[in-house]
Amino acid sequence: MLNNTSYVGRFAPSPSGSLHFGSLVAALGSYLRARSQNGQWLLRVEDIDPPREVPGAAHDILYTLERFGLEWDGSVLYQSQRLDAYEAYLQHLLADEQAYYCQCTRKQIKAMGGTYDGRCGRLIEPLNQGAIRIRNQAAVARFDDQLMGEVTTDQAFASEDFIIKRSDGLYAYQLAVVMDDAFQGITEVVRGADLLEATVRQISLYQQFGLQQPTWLHLPLASLEPGFKLSKQNHATPVDPKSPQKALQAALAFLGQQPVAIESDVRLMLAQAVSQFDLSNLPRQREILLNPD
Ligand code: GLU
């Protein structure tokens, strides 16, 4: 098979729990899309929020992906190993006045109407500690999604000077995800629709940093009740790495794809799923309710 090196996709789980059906859908959707383009599929563990991490979860996720035959290319990138890169770039942004410290409290921001008004960025004597916010100079309030079509967000949300390093010293997801997708050469981001709105902020960072943005494809979320996606936080049942066949078929059906023949070797099932993958069959919905069973 000819390797089309121009497509690079990824799966980027946070190690806050085991892989459940919702994260399997995101992993499988991004895998099928990448492999059906003869592209690469990379794995990144987003372990930059230790308070939300569960010991052993990263290992557990990798093991489960392997048991599902979802083999990634190259070595796994751990965000915890990228802290120096994030810090160096933040220092550059601060020195360049593209970012500034802010000590406003939640209560103060609520009094501003819920959207931060940029006041710490206008101080004659800038602060030198607190959270760090981007001076948002490239606000974007719309983008085209490969599945959902045109996505628009609130202008105030899009233009806010949002936090890129938290006051507790943790790097914000928005900064890390953009730096790492660029670092890994990702050409298309395929992930759950819970991140649709966040995408506009990521696009504004791409523009402000002078980076080329990837294309975007947001998959429907699996929920048990409207508005409540399956998540590690709400203790969604983990998928069973010992019998991947049934969950794989259910995830394929969830993604609107043709069923595949059951094989004891899941890699054969995946190969068939890749060859049958049809983007136009993906459901154009933000959420799909599952039958509890
Ligand atoms: N780490 C995020 C999560 O597990 C996904 C980030 C992304 O795909 O951009 O929800």
Side-chain angles (χ1 to χ4, degrees):
M1 203 186 337
L2 206 75
N3 206 26
N4 174 0
T5 46
S6 62
Y7 186 102
V8 186
R10 49 73 156 180
F11 177 54
S14 305
S16 51
S18 305
L19 207 72
H20 55 77
F21 184 72
S23 35
L24 174 66
V25 163
L28 180 65
S30 59
Y31 175 91
L32 294 177
R33 174 78 170 150
R35 295 300 188 220
S36 67
Q37 310 269 319
N38 296 324
Q40 296 180 58
W41 187 65
L42 308 184
L43 185 62
R44 180 169 75 235
V45 172
E46 303 211 312
D47 54 350
I48 43 160
D49 193 350
R52 286 187 47 209
E53 277 153 34
V54 172
H59 177 268
D60 195 53
I61 292 171
L62 266 55
Y63 172 76
T64 307
L65 290 172
E66 277 169 357
R67 296 304 297 252
F68 273 81
L70 294 164
E71 287 164 2
W72 55 89
D73 293 304
S75 50
V76 180
L77 182 69
Y78 289 85
Q79 288 193 321
S80 56
Q81 290 167 5
R82 295 265 300 145
L83 304 184
D84 290 348
Y86 307 147
E87 189 56 36
Y89 202 62
L90 268 174
Q91 291 307 322
H92 155 75
L93 293 173
L94 285 167
D96 203 30
E97 292 182 13
Q98 291 192 61
Y100 58 86
Y101 284 100
C102 167
Q103 293 174 359
C104 291
T105 60
R106 274 173 210 269
K107 204 168 149 196
Q108 281 173 300
I109 295 167
K110 213 169 159 198
M112 296 171 204
T115 305
Y116 183 65
D117 65 8
R119 64 181 64 171
C120 294
R122 294 189 291 269
L123 296 174
I124 315 256
E125 286 286 335
L127 301 167
N128 54 18
Q129 54 184 330
I132 300 176
R133 292 181 181 270
I134 187 79
R135 200 183 295 277
N136 192 344
Q137 292 160 332
V140 171
R142 67 159 299 286
F143 70 97
D144 292 308
D145 188 85
Q146 303 286 325
L147 182 62
M148 304 290 175
E150 182 178 29
V151 177
T152 52
T153 63
D154 183 55
Q155 187 66 46
F157 170 79
S159 6
E160 188 175 29
D161 287 352
F162 53 89
I163 289 179
I164 50 178
K165 187 175 185 185
R166 291 162 27 178
S167 58
D168 59 9
L170 296 180
Y171 298 95
Y173 158 69
Q174 305 291 8
L175 178 77
V177 73
V178 167
M179 284 185 65
D180 289 347
D181 280 334
F183 176 69
Q184 292 188 287
I186 303 302
T187 61
E188 184 170 82
V189 168
V190 180
R191 61 186 175 195
D194 51 330
L195 290 162
L196 263 182
E197 273 77 28
T199 303
V200 295
R201 295 192 157 180
Q202 292 168 30
I203 295 173
S204 61
L205 291 184
Y206 277 98
Q207 300 211 344
Q208 190 153 336
F209 299 169
L211 299 168
Q212 181 163 7
Q213 62 164 305
T215 52
W216 310 94
L217 197 166
H218 287 84
L219 300 169
L221 298 175
S223 304
L224 287 174
E225 276 177 68
F228 291 94
K229 66 159 188 157
L230 291 183
S231 73
K232 295 159 192 152
Q233 283 75 39
N234 67 24
H235 307 293
T237 321
V239 289
D240 182 1
K242 285 194 236 53
S243 55
Q245 284 82 356
K246 214 176 140 214
L248 202 55
Q249 280 197 317
L252 280 173
F254 183 93
L255 290 169
Q257 304 300 305
Q258 295 293 323
V260 295
I262 293 265
E263 305 275 359
S264 55
D265 183 350
V266 272
R267 287 171 302 182
L268 296 174
M269 294 175 68
L270 280 177
Q272 190 186 348
V274 167
S275 69
Q276 294 176 172
F277 180 71
D278 188 348
L279 182 65
S280 67
N281 284 342
L282 288 175
R284 282 184 174 68
Q285 277 167 259
R286 287 193 181 207
E287 177 178 65
I288 297 178
L289 295 184
L290 303 174
N291 296 323
D293 58 12

